Amino acid sequence: MTHLHSCIVSYKRRELTEQTLRSYLSTVAVSYSVVIVDNGSPVEVTDWLAALDVPVVLLGENRYPGYATNRGWERMPSEATLLHRIDNDTEFLPGWCDRVLAAFADPQVGQVGLAAAGDEPWTSMPRWPVGGNSIIRRELYDAGLRYCERPWTAGGTMEDHQLTKDVWAMGWQRGWAAEAIAYLGGGDPEYYAQTRQARGLT
């Protein structure tokens, strides 16, 4: 039986996190658990998170999404079969769970990327690594797969792309669940400048 354990990575942008969580809870169609891991948001965000009826992990500092996802995946229940990373600017579209399960029907697929609506051309590239939102099989995690926890470096491979390369190195393929999500956006220059600094890109 499928059990999806999902980690929403939060940093500032309460309104987007709220929309992400709402769209997830209203569309998830399999047995699931969800945790929010916050990368050092201000108190007005962390107070709101603490009042949710969802487990929350407060890291207290701005760490990049892969580090936070590893902390959230550590909270998985024993019945988890799929592990999910969610960026906090994600809108889940109806039917996304069916698209994910269809992609995992191929026994060679170890990771499924949730391609945003309009990004389908990327799915035709056989060696294109998955970015951001994705789901892996629990057995890859049990075999040692984790997001890289080294800070990003300018010109280096970002931790989400590295995860796909590690999936390939373990002998698995990646698939896509096209049009499973749309990105809410946010376009906050200060937010992006701060996250780039935290990730070692400036």
Side-chain angles (χ1 to χ4, degrees):
M1 178 178 164
T2 299
H3 181 97
L4 178 67
H5 179 67
S6 302
C7 173
I8 299 176
V9 179
S10 168
Y11 176 61
K12 294 190 169 184
R13 306 193 300 180
R14 169 186 163 174
E15 296 80 7
L16 295 185
T17 301
E18 191 168 4
Q19 292 178 65
T20 296
L21 180 62
R22 184 186 309 117
S23 73
Y24 173 86
L25 293 175
S26 66
T27 57
V28 63
V30 296
S31 173
Y32 74 93
S33 49
V34 61
V35 60
I36 299 175
V37 180
D38 185 79
N39 273 334
S41 293
V43 67
E44 59 267 23
V45 176
T46 57
D47 283 353
W48 170 76
L49 289 171
L52 293 175
D53 189 24
V54 172
V56 173
V57 177
L58 302 179
L59 296 180
E61 59 181 321
N62 189 358
R63 302 293 294 262
Y64 47 92
Y67 179 92
T69 304
N70 286 343
R71 304 291 77 79
W73 285 354
E74 290 168 358
R75 300 292 186 101
M76 80 176 90
S78 60
E79 66 267 27
T81 59
L82 297 174
L83 305 181
H84 186 189
R85 164 180 160 176
I86 303 173
D87 295 332
N88 74 325
D89 57 357
T90 303
E91 179 183 5
F92 289 89
L93 304 179
W96 67 273
C97 282
D98 291 338
R99 294 181 178 93
V100 167
L101 295 180
F104 275 120
D106 182 341
Q108 299 303 311
V109 169
Q111 179 187 31
V112 171
L114 304 187
D119 284 352
E120 292 83 354
W122 295 117
T123 69
S124 66
M125 300 176 66
R127 300 301 291 175
W128 184 260
V130 173
N133 294 268
S134 77
I135 299 173
I136 65 166
R137 294 184 189 268
R138 165 75 178 270
E139 53 256 53
L140 276 75
Y141 182 92
D142 290 343
L145 181 69
R146 303 289 189 279
Y147 279 100
C148 175
E149 296 195 359
R150 294 188 305 275
W152 292 350
T153 57
T157 301
M158 294 189 294
E159 97 290 345
D160 49 359
H161 289 182
Q162 185 60 53
L163 188 79
T164 302
K165 293 181 177 182
D166 293 341
V167 168
W168 290 335
M170 295 172 75
W172 294 78
Q173 298 174 12
R174 67 99 179 97
W176 295 99
E179 297 189 19
I181 61 171
Y183 288 111
L184 295 167
D188 180 346
E190 181 182 358
Y191 165 83
Y192 289 112
Q194 290 173 357
T195 55
R196 286 180 61 83
Q197 182 176 11
R199 294 163 181 168
L201 296 177
T202 58

PDB file of all heavy atoms in Angstrom, residues 92-130:
ATOM      1  N   PHE A  92      -0.757  22.244  -5.936  1.00  0.00           N
ATOM      2  CA  PHE A  92      -1.002  20.892  -6.421  1.00  0.00           C
ATOM      3  C   PHE A  92      -2.295  20.868  -7.234  1.00  0.00           C
ATOM      4  O   PHE A  92      -3.327  21.363  -6.791  1.00  0.00           O
ATOM      5  CB  PHE A  92      -1.070  19.907  -5.259  1.00  0.00           C
ATOM      6  CG  PHE A  92       0.261  19.673  -4.627  1.00  0.00           C
ATOM      7  CD1 PHE A  92       0.698  20.472  -3.584  1.00  0.00           C
ATOM      8  CD2 PHE A  92       1.105  18.682  -5.109  1.00  0.00           C
ATOM      9  CE1 PHE A  92       1.951  20.283  -3.022  1.00  0.00           C
ATOM     10  CE2 PHE A  92       2.351  18.488  -4.558  1.00  0.00           C
ATOM     11  CZ  PHE A  92       2.778  19.289  -3.512  1.00  0.00           C
ATOM     12  N   LEU A  93      -2.209  20.301  -8.432  1.00  0.00           N
ATOM     13  CA  LEU A  93      -3.349  20.264  -9.335  1.00  0.00           C
ATOM     14  C   LEU A  93      -4.126  18.964  -9.128  1.00  0.00           C
ATOM     15  O   LEU A  93      -3.535  17.920  -8.824  1.00  0.00           O
ATOM     16  CB  LEU A  93      -2.865  20.361 -10.779  1.00  0.00           C
ATOM     17  CG  LEU A  93      -1.998  21.594 -11.089  1.00  0.00           C
ATOM     18  CD1 LEU A  93      -1.549  21.582 -12.542  1.00  0.00           C
ATOM     19  CD2 LEU A  93      -2.756  22.894 -10.771  1.00  0.00           C
ATOM     20  N   PRO A  94      -5.438  19.003  -9.277  1.00  0.00           N
ATOM     21  CA  PRO A  94      -6.230  17.779  -9.103  1.00  0.00           C
ATOM     22  C   PRO A  94      -5.710  16.637  -9.981  1.00  0.00           C
ATOM     23  O   PRO A  94      -5.340  16.846 -11.140  1.00  0.00           O
ATOM     24  CB  PRO A  94      -7.636  18.218  -9.538  1.00  0.00           C
ATOM     25  CG  PRO A  94      -7.661  19.695  -9.264  1.00  0.00           C
ATOM     26  CD  PRO A  94      -6.266  20.175  -9.580  1.00  0.00           C
ATOM     27  N   GLY A  95      -5.635  15.447  -9.395  1.00  0.00           N
ATOM     28  CA  GLY A  95      -5.167  14.282 -10.134  1.00  0.00           C
ATOM     29  C   GLY A  95      -3.673  14.049 -10.079  1.00  0.00           C
ATOM     30  O   GLY A  95      -3.168  13.086 -10.658  1.00  0.00           O
ATOM     31  N   TRP A  96      -2.937  14.892  -9.320  1.00  0.00           N
ATOM     32  CA  TRP A  96      -1.479  14.754  -9.322  1.00  0.00           C
ATOM     33  C   TRP A  96      -1.027  13.421  -8.734  1.00  0.00           C
ATOM     34  O   TRP A  96      -0.035  12.844  -9.190  1.00  0.00           O
ATOM     35  CB  TRP A  96      -0.810  15.920  -8.585  1.00  0.00           C
ATOM     36  CG  TRP A  96      -1.044  15.989  -7.106  1.00  0.00           C
ATOM     37  CD1 TRP A  96      -2.076  16.591  -6.466  1.00  0.00           C
ATOM     38  CD2 TRP A  96      -0.211  15.432  -6.081  1.00  0.00           C
ATOM     39  NE1 TRP A  96      -1.949  16.449  -5.103  1.00  0.00           N
ATOM     40  CE2 TRP A  96      -0.820  15.741  -4.835  1.00  0.00           C
ATOM     41  CE3 TRP A  96       0.984  14.711  -6.085  1.00  0.00           C
ATOM     42  CZ2 TRP A  96      -0.263  15.357  -3.618  1.00  0.00           C
ATOM     43  CZ3 TRP A  96       1.541  14.324  -4.871  1.00  0.00           C
ATOM     44  CH2 TRP A  96       0.919  14.645  -3.661  1.00  0.00           C
ATOM     45  N   CYS A  97      -1.733  12.914  -7.741  1.00  0.00           N
ATOM     46  CA  CYS A  97      -1.349  11.619  -7.163  1.00  0.00           C
ATOM     47  C   CYS A  97      -1.442  10.509  -8.207  1.00  0.00           C
ATOM     48  O   CYS A  97      -0.574   9.620  -8.258  1.00  0.00           O
ATOM     49  CB  CYS A  97      -2.229  11.280  -5.964  1.00  0.00           C
ATOM     50  SG  CYS A  97      -1.794  12.159  -4.452  1.00  0.00           S
ATOM     51  N   ASP A  98      -2.479  10.532  -9.038  1.00  0.00           N
ATOM     52  CA  ASP A  98      -2.613   9.521 -10.085  1.00  0.00           C
ATOM     53  C   ASP A  98      -1.446   9.592 -11.062  1.00  0.00           C
ATOM     54  O   ASP A  98      -0.933   8.560 -11.511  1.00  0.00           O
ATOM     55  CB  ASP A  98      -3.933   9.704 -10.843  1.00  0.00           C
ATOM     56  CG  ASP A  98      -5.149   9.378  -9.995  1.00  0.00           C
ATOM     57  OD1 ASP A  98      -5.006   8.635  -9.002  1.00  0.00           O
ATOM     58  OD2 ASP A  98      -6.238   9.876 -10.319  1.00  0.00           O
ATOM     59  N   ARG A  99      -1.009  10.810 -11.389  1.00  0.00           N
ATOM     60  CA  ARG A  99       0.114  10.974 -12.315  1.00  0.00           C
ATOM     61  C   ARG A  99       1.406  10.428 -11.692  1.00  0.00           C
ATOM     62  O   ARG A  99       2.226   9.815 -12.370  1.00  0.00           O
ATOM     63  CB  ARG A  99       0.269  12.442 -12.692  1.00  0.00           C
ATOM     64  CG  ARG A  99      -0.905  13.000 -13.499  1.00  0.00           C
ATOM     65  CD  ARG A  99      -0.668  14.466 -13.874  1.00  0.00           C
ATOM     66  NE  ARG A  99      -1.759  14.982 -14.668  1.00  0.00           N
ATOM     67  CZ  ARG A  99      -2.819  15.620 -14.169  1.00  0.00           C
ATOM     68  NH1 ARG A  99      -2.926  15.817 -12.860  1.00  0.00           N
ATOM     69  NH2 ARG A  99      -3.761  16.073 -14.966  1.00  0.00           N
ATOM     70  N   VAL A 100       1.577  10.672 -10.398  1.00  0.00           N
ATOM     71  CA  VAL A 100       2.767  10.165  -9.705  1.00  0.00           C
ATOM     72  C   VAL A 100       2.766   8.638  -9.688  1.00  0.00           C
ATOM     73  O   VAL A 100       3.780   7.992 -10.010  1.00  0.00           O
ATOM     74  CB  VAL A 100       2.832  10.729  -8.270  1.00  0.00           C
ATOM     75  CG1 VAL A 100       3.872   9.979  -7.439  1.00  0.00           C
ATOM     76  CG2 VAL A 100       3.145  12.218  -8.291  1.00  0.00           C
ATOM     77  N   LEU A 101       1.656   8.037  -9.305  1.00  0.00           N
ATOM     78  CA  LEU A 101       1.589   6.575  -9.238  1.00  0.00           C
ATOM     79  C   LEU A 101       1.773   5.951 -10.616  1.00  0.00           C
ATOM     80  O   LEU A 101       2.403   4.892 -10.739  1.00  0.00           O
ATOM     81  CB  LEU A 101       0.262   6.140  -8.619  1.00  0.00           C
ATOM     82  CG  LEU A 101       0.055   6.538  -7.158  1.00  0.00           C
ATOM     83  CD1 LEU A 101      -1.308   6.052  -6.666  1.00  0.00           C
ATOM     84  CD2 LEU A 101       1.161   6.003  -6.265  1.00  0.00           C
ATOM     85  N   ALA A 102       1.254   6.607 -11.652  1.00  0.00           N
ATOM     86  CA  ALA A 102       1.446   6.088 -13.010  1.00  0.00           C
ATOM     87  C   ALA A 102       2.923   6.095 -13.385  1.00  0.00           C
ATOM     88  O   ALA A 102       3.426   5.154 -14.011  1.00  0.00           O
ATOM     89  CB  ALA A 102       0.630   6.914 -14.008  1.00  0.00           C
ATOM     90  N   ALA A 103       3.646   7.141 -12.988  1.00  0.00           N
ATOM     91  CA  ALA A 103       5.080   7.208 -13.292  1.00  0.00           C
ATOM     92  C   ALA A 103       5.852   6.136 -12.536  1.00  0.00           C
ATOM     93  O   ALA A 103       6.785   5.526 -13.065  1.00  0.00           O
ATOM     94  CB  ALA A 103       5.623   8.595 -12.955  1.00  0.00           C
ATOM     95  N   PHE A 104       5.451   5.872 -11.279  1.00  0.00           N
ATOM     96  CA  PHE A 104       6.133   4.855 -10.490  1.00  0.00           C
ATOM     97  C   PHE A 104       5.716   3.431 -10.876  1.00  0.00           C
ATOM     98  O   PHE A 104       6.291   2.464 -10.366  1.00  0.00           O
ATOM     99  CB  PHE A 104       5.876   5.069  -8.997  1.00  0.00           C
ATOM    100  CG  PHE A 104       6.807   6.047  -8.345  1.00  0.00           C
ATOM    101  CD1 PHE A 104       6.313   7.202  -7.734  1.00  0.00           C
ATOM    102  CD2 PHE A 104       8.179   5.832  -8.320  1.00  0.00           C
ATOM    103  CE1 PHE A 104       7.165   8.105  -7.122  1.00  0.00           C
ATOM    104  CE2 PHE A 104       9.043   6.731  -7.721  1.00  0.00           C
ATOM    105  CZ  PHE A 104       8.533   7.873  -7.112  1.00  0.00           C
ATOM    106  N   ALA A 105       4.731   3.287 -11.762  1.00  0.00           N
ATOM    107  CA  ALA A 105       4.346   1.944 -12.215  1.00  0.00           C
ATOM    108  C   ALA A 105       5.488   1.261 -12.945  1.00  0.00           C
ATOM    109  O   ALA A 105       5.557   0.035 -13.001  1.00  0.00           O
ATOM    110  CB  ALA A 105       3.110   2.024 -13.115  1.00  0.00           C
ATOM    111  N   ASP A 106       6.422   2.054 -13.495  1.00  0.00           N
ATOM    112  CA  ASP A 106       7.630   1.501 -14.109  1.00  0.00           C
ATOM    113  C   ASP A 106       8.575   1.106 -12.981  1.00  0.00           C
ATOM    114  O   ASP A 106       9.040   1.967 -12.222  1.00  0.00           O
ATOM    115  CB  ASP A 106       8.275   2.551 -15.007  1.00  0.00           C
ATOM    116  CG  ASP A 106       9.512   2.035 -15.729  1.00  0.00           C
ATOM    117  OD1 ASP A 106      10.100   1.011 -15.290  1.00  0.00           O
ATOM    118  OD2 ASP A 106       9.926   2.663 -16.720  1.00  0.00           O
ATOM    119  N   PRO A 107       8.901  -0.178 -12.822  1.00  0.00           N
ATOM    120  CA  PRO A 107       9.723  -0.605 -11.681  1.00  0.00           C
ATOM    121  C   PRO A 107      11.156  -0.089 -11.724  1.00  0.00           C
ATOM    122  O   PRO A 107      11.865  -0.194 -10.721  1.00  0.00           O
ATOM    123  CB  PRO A 107       9.683  -2.133 -11.768  1.00  0.00           C
ATOM    124  CG  PRO A 107       9.389  -2.430 -13.197  1.00  0.00           C
ATOM    125  CD  PRO A 107       8.502  -1.315 -13.667  1.00  0.00           C
ATOM    126  N   GLN A 108      11.588   0.470 -12.850  1.00  0.00           N
ATOM    127  CA  GLN A 108      12.936   1.016 -12.947  1.00  0.00           C
ATOM    128  C   GLN A 108      13.016   2.469 -12.477  1.00  0.00           C
ATOM    129  O   GLN A 108      14.100   3.011 -12.308  1.00  0.00           O
ATOM    130  CB  GLN A 108      13.429   0.934 -14.405  1.00  0.00           C
ATOM    131  CG  GLN A 108      13.502  -0.485 -14.943  1.00  0.00           C
ATOM    132  CD  GLN A 108      14.396  -1.371 -14.096  1.00  0.00           C
ATOM    133  OE1 GLN A 108      15.521  -1.003 -13.770  1.00  0.00           O
ATOM    134  NE2 GLN A 108      13.886  -2.536 -13.712  1.00  0.00           N
ATOM    135  N   VAL A 109      11.858   3.111 -12.277  1.00  0.00           N
ATOM    136  CA  VAL A 109      11.825   4.522 -11.887  1.00  0.00           C
ATOM    137  C   VAL A 109      11.960   4.631 -10.375  1.00  0.00           C
ATOM    138  O   VAL A 109      11.146   4.080  -9.628  1.00  0.00           O
ATOM    139  CB  VAL A 109      10.519   5.192 -12.371  1.00  0.00           C
ATOM    140  CG1 VAL A 109      10.350   6.570 -11.735  1.00  0.00           C
ATOM    141  CG2 VAL A 109      10.534   5.316 -13.892  1.00  0.00           C
ATOM    142  N   GLY A 110      12.986   5.345  -9.934  1.00  0.00           N
ATOM    143  CA  GLY A 110      13.207   5.554  -8.507  1.00  0.00           C
ATOM    144  C   GLY A 110      12.838   6.941  -8.036  1.00  0.00           C
ATOM    145  O   GLY A 110      12.657   7.162  -6.841  1.00  0.00           O
ATOM    146  N   GLN A 111      12.738   7.895  -8.968  1.00  0.00           N
ATOM    147  CA  GLN A 111      12.421   9.281  -8.630  1.00  0.00           C
ATOM    148  C   GLN A 111      11.449   9.824  -9.669  1.00  0.00           C
ATOM    149  O   GLN A 111      11.612   9.568 -10.870  1.00  0.00           O
ATOM    150  CB  GLN A 111      13.685  10.144  -8.624  1.00  0.00           C
ATOM    151  CG  GLN A 111      13.431  11.621  -8.311  1.00  0.00           C
ATOM    152  CD  GLN A 111      14.667  12.480  -8.484  1.00  0.00           C
ATOM    153  OE1 GLN A 111      15.518  12.194  -9.313  1.00  0.00           O
ATOM    154  NE2 GLN A 111      14.766  13.553  -7.719  1.00  0.00           N
ATOM    155  N   VAL A 112      10.466  10.569  -9.202  1.00  0.00           N
ATOM    156  CA  VAL A 112       9.507  11.209 -10.100  1.00  0.00           C
ATOM    157  C   VAL A 112       9.532  12.709  -9.844  1.00  0.00           C
ATOM    158  O   VAL A 112       9.332  13.161  -8.715  1.00  0.00           O
ATOM    159  CB  VAL A 112       8.084  10.650  -9.908  1.00  0.00           C
ATOM    160  CG1 VAL A 112       7.064  11.476 -10.688  1.00  0.00           C
ATOM    161  CG2 VAL A 112       8.027   9.194 -10.340  1.00  0.00           C
ATOM    162  N   GLY A 113       9.786  13.465 -10.890  1.00  0.00           N
ATOM    163  CA  GLY A 113       9.742  14.917 -10.799  1.00  0.00           C
ATOM    164  C   GLY A 113       8.333  15.408 -11.056  1.00  0.00           C
ATOM    165  O   GLY A 113       7.625  14.883 -11.913  1.00  0.00           O
ATOM    166  N   LEU A 114       7.925  16.420 -10.296  1.00  0.00           N
ATOM    167  CA  LEU A 114       6.601  17.003 -10.481  1.00  0.00           C
ATOM    168  C   LEU A 114       6.753  18.240 -11.359  1.00  0.00           C
ATOM    169  O   LEU A 114       6.970  19.341 -10.875  1.00  0.00           O
ATOM    170  CB  LEU A 114       5.975  17.366  -9.129  1.00  0.00           C
ATOM    171  CG  LEU A 114       5.877  16.215  -8.120  1.00  0.00           C
ATOM    172  CD1 LEU A 114       5.093  16.666  -6.896  1.00  0.00           C
ATOM    173  CD2 LEU A 114       5.215  15.005  -8.737  1.00  0.00           C
ATOM    174  N   ALA A 115       6.693  18.026 -12.643  1.00  0.00           N
ATOM    175  CA  ALA A 115       6.927  19.114 -13.588  1.00  0.00           C
ATOM    176  C   ALA A 115       5.795  20.121 -13.514  1.00  0.00           C
ATOM    177  O   ALA A 115       4.630  19.750 -13.496  1.00  0.00           O
ATOM    178  CB  ALA A 115       7.047  18.565 -15.011  1.00  0.00           C
ATOM    179  N   ALA A 116       6.141  21.388 -13.467  1.00  0.00           N
ATOM    180  CA  ALA A 116       5.128  22.431 -13.434  1.00  0.00           C
ATOM    181  C   ALA A 116       4.435  22.540 -14.777  1.00  0.00           C
ATOM    182  O   ALA A 116       5.021  22.247 -15.820  1.00  0.00           O
ATOM    183  CB  ALA A 116       5.771  23.767 -13.070  1.00  0.00           C
ATOM    184  N   ALA A 117       3.178  22.957 -14.738  1.00  0.00           N
ATOM    185  CA  ALA A 117       2.436  23.155 -15.975  1.00  0.00           C
ATOM    186  C   ALA A 117       3.209  24.120 -16.878  1.00  0.00           C
ATOM    187  O   ALA A 117       3.642  25.180 -16.443  1.00  0.00           O
ATOM    188  CB  ALA A 117       1.045  23.709 -15.664  1.00  0.00           C
ATOM    189  N   GLY A 118       3.410  23.722 -18.116  1.00  0.00           N
ATOM    190  CA  GLY A 118       4.164  24.544 -19.056  1.00  0.00           C
ATOM    191  C   GLY A 118       5.611  24.131 -19.183  1.00  0.00           C
ATOM    192  O   GLY A 118       6.311  24.585 -20.083  1.00  0.00           O
ATOM    193  N   ASP A 119       6.093  23.264 -18.286  1.00  0.00           N
ATOM    194  CA  ASP A 119       7.492  22.846 -18.319  1.00  0.00           C
ATOM    195  C   ASP A 119       7.685  21.506 -19.025  1.00  0.00           C
ATOM    196  O   ASP A 119       8.763  20.927 -18.967  1.00  0.00           O
ATOM    197  CB  ASP A 119       8.049  22.726 -16.887  1.00  0.00           C
ATOM    198  CG  ASP A 119       8.351  24.079 -16.275  1.00  0.00           C
ATOM    199  OD1 ASP A 119       8.276  25.080 -16.993  1.00  0.00           O
ATOM    200  OD2 ASP A 119       8.639  24.123 -15.071  1.00  0.00           O
ATOM    201  N   GLU A 120       6.654  21.014 -19.693  1.00  0.00           N
ATOM    202  CA  GLU A 120       6.723  19.682 -20.270  1.00  0.00           C
ATOM    203  C   GLU A 120       7.899  19.467 -21.230  1.00  0.00           C
ATOM    204  O   GLU A 120       8.386  18.353 -21.338  1.00  0.00           O
ATOM    205  CB  GLU A 120       5.411  19.325 -20.981  1.00  0.00           C
ATOM    206  CG  GLU A 120       4.237  19.159 -20.056  1.00  0.00           C
ATOM    207  CD  GLU A 120       3.580  20.480 -19.697  1.00  0.00           C
ATOM    208  OE1 GLU A 120       4.109  21.545 -20.069  1.00  0.00           O
ATOM    209  OE2 GLU A 120       2.539  20.443 -19.037  1.00  0.00           O
ATOM    210  N   PRO A 121       8.385  20.495 -21.955  1.00  0.00           N
ATOM    211  CA  PRO A 121       9.525  20.235 -22.843  1.00  0.00           C
ATOM    212  C   PRO A 121      10.735  19.633 -22.141  1.00  0.00           C
ATOM    213  O   PRO A 121      11.492  18.877 -22.741  1.00  0.00           O
ATOM    214  CB  PRO A 121       9.833  21.626 -23.412  1.00  0.00           C
ATOM    215  CG  PRO A 121       8.524  22.321 -23.400  1.00  0.00           C
ATOM    216  CD  PRO A 121       7.852  21.847 -22.129  1.00  0.00           C
ATOM    217  N   TRP A 122      10.915  19.954 -20.848  1.00  0.00           N
ATOM    218  CA  TRP A 122      12.048  19.376 -20.125  1.00  0.00           C
ATOM    219  C   TRP A 122      11.927  17.852 -20.041  1.00  0.00           C
ATOM    220  O   TRP A 122      12.932  17.151 -19.993  1.00  0.00           O
ATOM    221  CB  TRP A 122      12.126  19.930 -18.709  1.00  0.00           C
ATOM    222  CG  TRP A 122      12.404  21.398 -18.642  1.00  0.00           C
ATOM    223  CD1 TRP A 122      11.583  22.365 -18.130  1.00  0.00           C
ATOM    224  CD2 TRP A 122      13.579  22.080 -19.082  1.00  0.00           C
ATOM    225  NE1 TRP A 122      12.171  23.592 -18.235  1.00  0.00           N
ATOM    226  CE2 TRP A 122      13.403  23.450 -18.811  1.00  0.00           C
ATOM    227  CE3 TRP A 122      14.768  21.668 -19.682  1.00  0.00           C
ATOM    228  CZ2 TRP A 122      14.369  24.415 -19.117  1.00  0.00           C
ATOM    229  CZ3 TRP A 122      15.722  22.621 -19.983  1.00  0.00           C
ATOM    230  CH2 TRP A 122      15.520  23.968 -19.701  1.00  0.00           C
ATOM    231  N   THR A 123      10.692  17.339 -20.015  1.00  0.00           N
ATOM    232  CA  THR A 123      10.521  15.908 -19.815  1.00  0.00           C
ATOM    233  C   THR A 123      11.017  15.092 -21.000  1.00  0.00           C
ATOM    234  O   THR A 123      11.203  13.899 -20.891  1.00  0.00           O
ATOM    235  CB  THR A 123       9.043  15.560 -19.559  1.00  0.00           C
ATOM    236  OG1 THR A 123       8.287  15.760 -20.754  1.00  0.00           O
ATOM    237  CG2 THR A 123       8.465  16.397 -18.447  1.00  0.00           C
ATOM    238  N   SER A 124      11.234  15.754 -22.133  1.00  0.00           N
ATOM    239  CA  SER A 124      11.733  15.030 -23.304  1.00  0.00           C
ATOM    240  C   SER A 124      13.251  14.865 -23.274  1.00  0.00           C
ATOM    241  O   SER A 124      13.822  14.218 -24.149  1.00  0.00           O
ATOM    242  CB  SER A 124      11.317  15.753 -24.591  1.00  0.00           C
ATOM    243  OG  SER A 124      11.965  17.019 -24.670  1.00  0.00           O
ATOM    244  N   MET A 125      13.900  15.449 -22.274  1.00  0.00           N
ATOM    245  CA  MET A 125      15.359  15.370 -22.170  1.00  0.00           C
ATOM    246  C   MET A 125      15.720  14.205 -21.251  1.00  0.00           C
ATOM    247  O   MET A 125      15.520  14.291 -20.037  1.00  0.00           O
ATOM    248  CB  MET A 125      15.932  16.686 -21.651  1.00  0.00           C
ATOM    249  CG  MET A 125      15.612  17.869 -22.541  1.00  0.00           C
ATOM    250  SD  MET A 125      16.190  19.444 -21.876  1.00  0.00           S
ATOM    251  CE  MET A 125      17.962  19.211 -21.952  1.00  0.00           C
ATOM    252  N   PRO A 126      16.227  13.116 -21.786  1.00  0.00           N
ATOM    253  CA  PRO A 126      16.408  11.903 -20.977  1.00  0.00           C
ATOM    254  C   PRO A 126      17.419  12.042 -19.850  1.00  0.00           C
ATOM    255  O   PRO A 126      17.351  11.309 -18.873  1.00  0.00           O
ATOM    256  CB  PRO A 126      16.850  10.856 -22.005  1.00  0.00           C
ATOM    257  CG  PRO A 126      17.399  11.643 -23.148  1.00  0.00           C
ATOM    258  CD  PRO A 126      16.605  12.909 -23.196  1.00  0.00           C
ATOM    259  N   ARG A 127      18.359  12.956 -19.964  1.00  0.00           N
ATOM    260  CA  ARG A 127      19.371  13.082 -18.909  1.00  0.00           C
ATOM    261  C   ARG A 127      19.232  14.391 -18.148  1.00  0.00           C
ATOM    262  O   ARG A 127      20.200  14.895 -17.586  1.00  0.00           O
ATOM    263  CB  ARG A 127      20.786  12.947 -19.493  1.00  0.00           C
ATOM    264  CG  ARG A 127      21.045  11.626 -20.178  1.00  0.00           C
ATOM    265  CD  ARG A 127      20.864  10.435 -19.245  1.00  0.00           C
ATOM    266  NE  ARG A 127      21.896  10.360 -18.222  1.00  0.00           N
ATOM    267  CZ  ARG A 127      21.910   9.476 -17.232  1.00  0.00           C
ATOM    268  NH1 ARG A 127      20.933   8.602 -17.113  1.00  0.00           N
ATOM    269  NH2 ARG A 127      22.886   9.469 -16.352  1.00  0.00           N
ATOM    270  N   TRP A 128      18.034  14.969 -18.144  1.00  0.00           N
ATOM    271  CA  TRP A 128      17.818  16.213 -17.414  1.00  0.00           C
ATOM    272  C   TRP A 128      17.463  15.892 -15.966  1.00  0.00           C
ATOM    273  O   TRP A 128      16.498  15.195 -15.706  1.00  0.00           O
ATOM    274  CB  TRP A 128      16.695  17.024 -18.053  1.00  0.00           C
ATOM    275  CG  TRP A 128      16.508  18.355 -17.384  1.00  0.00           C
ATOM    276  CD1 TRP A 128      15.560  18.690 -16.456  1.00  0.00           C
ATOM    277  CD2 TRP A 128      17.314  19.516 -17.552  1.00  0.00           C
ATOM    278  NE1 TRP A 128      15.709  19.976 -16.030  1.00  0.00           N
ATOM    279  CE2 TRP A 128      16.778  20.513 -16.690  1.00  0.00           C
ATOM    280  CE3 TRP A 128      18.427  19.822 -18.321  1.00  0.00           C
ATOM    281  CZ2 TRP A 128      17.338  21.800 -16.613  1.00  0.00           C
ATOM    282  CZ3 TRP A 128      18.970  21.091 -18.237  1.00  0.00           C
ATOM    283  CH2 TRP A 128      18.435  22.060 -17.394  1.00  0.00           C
ATOM    284  N   PRO A 129      18.234  16.404 -14.982  1.00  0.00           N
ATOM    285  CA  PRO A 129      17.934  16.081 -13.575  1.00  0.00           C
ATOM    286  C   PRO A 129      16.709  16.821 -13.076  1.00  0.00           C
ATOM    287  O   PRO A 129      16.365  17.900 -13.557  1.00  0.00           O
ATOM    288  CB  PRO A 129      19.198  16.523 -12.838  1.00  0.00           C
ATOM    289  CG  PRO A 129      19.802  17.575 -13.702  1.00  0.00           C
ATOM    290  CD  PRO A 129      19.462  17.211 -15.115  1.00  0.00           C
ATOM    291  N   VAL A 130      16.063  16.237 -12.102  1.00  0.00           N
ATOM    292  CA  VAL A 130      14.866  16.816 -11.511  1.00  0.00           C
ATOM    293  C   VAL A 130      15.257  17.973 -10.601  1.00  0.00           C
ATOM    294  O   VAL A 130      16.217  17.885  -9.837  1.00  0.00           O
ATOM    295  CB  VAL A 130      14.107  15.741 -10.702  1.00  0.00           C
ATOM    296  CG1 VAL A 130      12.942  16.360  -9.939  1.00  0.00           C
ATOM    297  CG2 VAL A 130      13.618  14.639 -11.626  1.00  0.00           C
TER     298      VAL A 130
END
